[in-house]
Amino acid sequence: MALPDALKRAACSDIGKGEGVAAATLNRVTRIKLKQFTAFETLDLTPSPGVNVFLGTNGTGKTHLMKVAYAACDARATGVPFPEKLARLFLPSGRNFGRLVKRRPGRSKAVAEVEWGNARVRASFSSQARSPASATVSARKVRKLVTPAAVATSQFVYIPVKEMLANAPGFRSLYSSRDIHFEEVYSDILDRAFLPPYRGAPDRTRRRLLDALRKVLEGRVQSKGEEFFLVNRQGKLEFTLLAEGLRKLGLLWLLIQNGTLAEGSILFWDEPETNLNPKLFPALIEILLELQREGVQIFVATHDYLILKQFDLQAGKADRLLFHALFMDSDSGNVACSSTNSYVDIAPNAIAEAFSDVYDREIRRSLGTHQ
């Protein structure tokens, strides 16, 4: 579905004015370093301040990479210890924190480190670690125009593959009082979704984005108690009766409407294509690009060719877009990463390779040479 021309032509935000903008800039993730952590032997990633698209075969650590960055961001904003947040997101068996160390014979040590400009948080722990409390944590604070209040009010959002709005009633109270085996991203995203909007009318950018989503959804999202509804000309449709792909767009509507996704925030989204009709991909990608233009840093992991190509086709010259291909290096046998801002330079491109293979098989069949 096409978006309004006004949204497509929206100018990039000027990110060089004022202390608030400086603080927002310093809240962006500027580096992620991992050593012997889960699937990774070593990784040193410099992400784009705009959109980062992760691709790779299963088991190359796309989700793990985003969870580490999100854990660091959330820990920095809330004061929860970084190792504790990692444990809540990864849920190692028996809360045995040492199980997050890459498996190998003997005793090993893992390091997870995330930087935001001049700020950094680092956790190191051995394969013998029994609890997150046994990890060694170090931090370096920002020395420029950013205050603790600015960090605390920054928003860091992780949208998991599984949609949660339809399962919201009772979940947060159950999660807070019972030891249930759910990664904390599910509770976190509901906390963000239930935030009330700011006082006053939304600014021009939020109005444009909300109008675009309203056209795609053919309505707007409303909550009552702990239930979510799509309100349209037919009335109120509860989310349990709504297609799961549309629920994801409804969640995006809520996060924009309540100001969670605003300048200086960071969005992590694992496989946004899941259960979403491909006809809606262009609208989704244009909204993500527009959020980036307004100062939101975005991390997306995908297995879908159309998602990848929509980013390539819709991004303008001023958009800050990086593709990160994660793959198993044939020489070392370890996960490696190749980053580029050009789609044609993605190497290896597991998604395009799979698409090309299907296309070649179709051609061979049409020529009568299919085997």
Side-chain angles (χ1 to χ4, degrees), residues 221-240:
V221 180
Q222 185 181 88
S223 63
K224 182 178 180 181
E226 291 191 325
E227 289 187 278
F228 291 95
F229 300 86
L230 178 65
V231 182
N232 56 26
R233 287 174 296 182
Q234 299 177 350
K236 294 171 66 175
L237 182 66
E238 51 266 54
F239 264 43
T240 51

Side-chain angles (χ1 to χ4, degrees), residues 118-181:
N118 288 325
R120 181 192 69 191
V121 64
R122 182 178 187 270
S124 59
F125 52 97
S126 79
S127 55
Q128 305 300 312
R130 293 297 179 186
S131 72
S134 62
T136 301
V137 181
S138 62
R140 183 177 67 216
K141 295 183 179 180
V142 172
R143 297 190 296 271
K144 292 187 178 180
L145 291 175
V146 64
T147 65
V151 172
T153 56
S154 297
Q155 296 290 347
F156 310 102
V157 185
Y158 191 107
I159 302 180
V161 176
K162 180 174 175 55
E163 188 279 322
M164 283 300 295
L165 296 188
N167 303 302
F171 182 85
R172 290 192 301 167
S173 59
L174 179 65
Y175 187 86
S176 64
S177 61
R178 300 285 181 175
D179 188 13
I180 56 175
H181 202 70

Side-chain angles (χ1 to χ4, degrees), residues 3 49 109 114 132 151 216 238 256 277 315 336 341 367:
L3 293 183
K109 184 178 181 180
V114 178
V151 172
V216 175
E238 51 266 54
I256 294 170
N277 190 288
N341 60 5
L367 295 175

Side-chain angles (χ1 to χ4, degrees), residues 71-85 88 151-152:
C73 291
D74 191 77
R76 182 183 180 217
T78 63
V80 172
F82 182 31
E84 176 62 31
K85 189 66 180 183
R88 296 178 188 179
V151 172

Side-chain angles (χ1 to χ4, degrees), residues 3-40:
L3 293 183
D5 289 341
L7 177 56
K8 290 185 177 181
R9 295 194 298 265
C12 294
S13 297
D14 181 353
I15 59 170
K17 298 179 181 179
E19 289 192 15
V21 176
T25 302
L26 290 172
N27 279 329
R28 292 184 181 127
V29 174
T30 54
R31 194 175 188 183
I32 305 169
K33 295 177 66 177
L34 301 174
K35 181 179 180 182
Q36 295 181 28
F37 184 90
T38 63
F40 299 97

Side-chain angles (χ1 to χ4, degrees), residues 121-357:
V121 64
R122 182 178 187 270
S124 59
F125 52 97
S126 79
S127 55
Q128 305 300 312
R130 293 297 179 186
S131 72
S134 62
T136 301
V137 181
S138 62
R140 183 177 67 216
K141 295 183 179 180
V142 172
R143 297 190 296 271
K144 292 187 178 180
L145 291 175
V146 64
T147 65
V151 172
T153 56
S154 297
Q155 296 290 347
F156 310 102
V157 185
Y158 191 107
I159 302 180
V161 176
K162 180 174 175 55
E163 188 279 322
M164 283 300 295
L165 296 188
N167 303 302
F171 182 85
R172 290 192 301 167
S173 59
L174 179 65
Y175 187 86
S176 64
S177 61
R178 300 285 181 175
D179 188 13
I180 56 175
H181 202 70
F182 272 82
E183 301 163 18
E184 197 163 73
V185 290
Y186 297 112
S187 175
D188 287 352
I189 194 59
L190 287 177
D191 289 342
R192 269 65 163 183
F194 277 115
L195 283 174
Y198 288 114
R199 293 184 183 274
D203 57 39
R204 185 174 60 181
T205 299
R206 277 198 294 156
R207 284 200 304 271
R208 281 201 312 269
L209 293 169
L210 291 174
D211 286 343
L213 278 169
R214 188 178 291 115
K215 290 183 178 181
V216 175
L217 291 166
E218 297 182 347
R220 58 187 176 84
V221 180
Q222 185 181 88
S223 63
K224 182 178 180 181
E226 291 191 325
E227 289 187 278
F228 291 95
F229 300 86
L230 178 65
V231 182
N232 56 26
R233 287 174 296 182
Q234 299 177 350
K236 294 171 66 175
L237 182 66
E238 51 266 54
F239 264 43
T240 51
L241 301 180
L242 198 64
E244 186 165 337
L246 293 179
R247 294 180 212 162
K248 284 194 169 185
L249 294 180
L251 172 61
L252 193 58
W253 193 93
L254 286 167
L255 297 175
I256 294 170
Q257 188 253 4
N258 67 22
T260 296
L261 289 178
E263 182 181 18
S265 63
I266 303 178
L267 169 63
F268 302 87
W269 199 341
D270 200 355
E271 299 182 30
E273 69 270 14
T274 303
N275 295 314
L276 189 65
N277 190 288
K279 287 186 177 181
L280 298 177
F281 288 2
L284 170 65
I285 299 308
E286 187 56 43
I287 289 171
L288 293 180
L289 287 170
E290 177 64 10
L291 285 169
Q292 169 260 158
R293 293 165 193 150
E294 296 300 324
V296 178
Q297 188 179 30
I298 296 173
F299 295 81
V300 169
T302 184
H303 287 288
D304 195 280
Y305 174 79
L306 292 179
I307 289 288
L308 202 62
K309 281 302 294 182
Q310 286 297 339
F311 273 117
D312 175 46
L313 294 171
Q314 296 189 49
K317 292 182 179 180
D319 291 322
R320 296 158 296 180
L321 173 65
L322 271 182
F323 299 101
H324 306 280
L326 294 164
F327 61 97
M328 297 299 297
D329 181 72
S330 58
D331 293 330
S332 66
N334 297 316
V335 175
C337 182
S338 172
S339 301
T340 178
N341 60 5
S342 171
Y343 174 83
V344 297
D345 293 329
I346 299 173
N349 190 337
I351 295 174
E353 289 168 4
F355 182 85
S356 296
D357 179 65

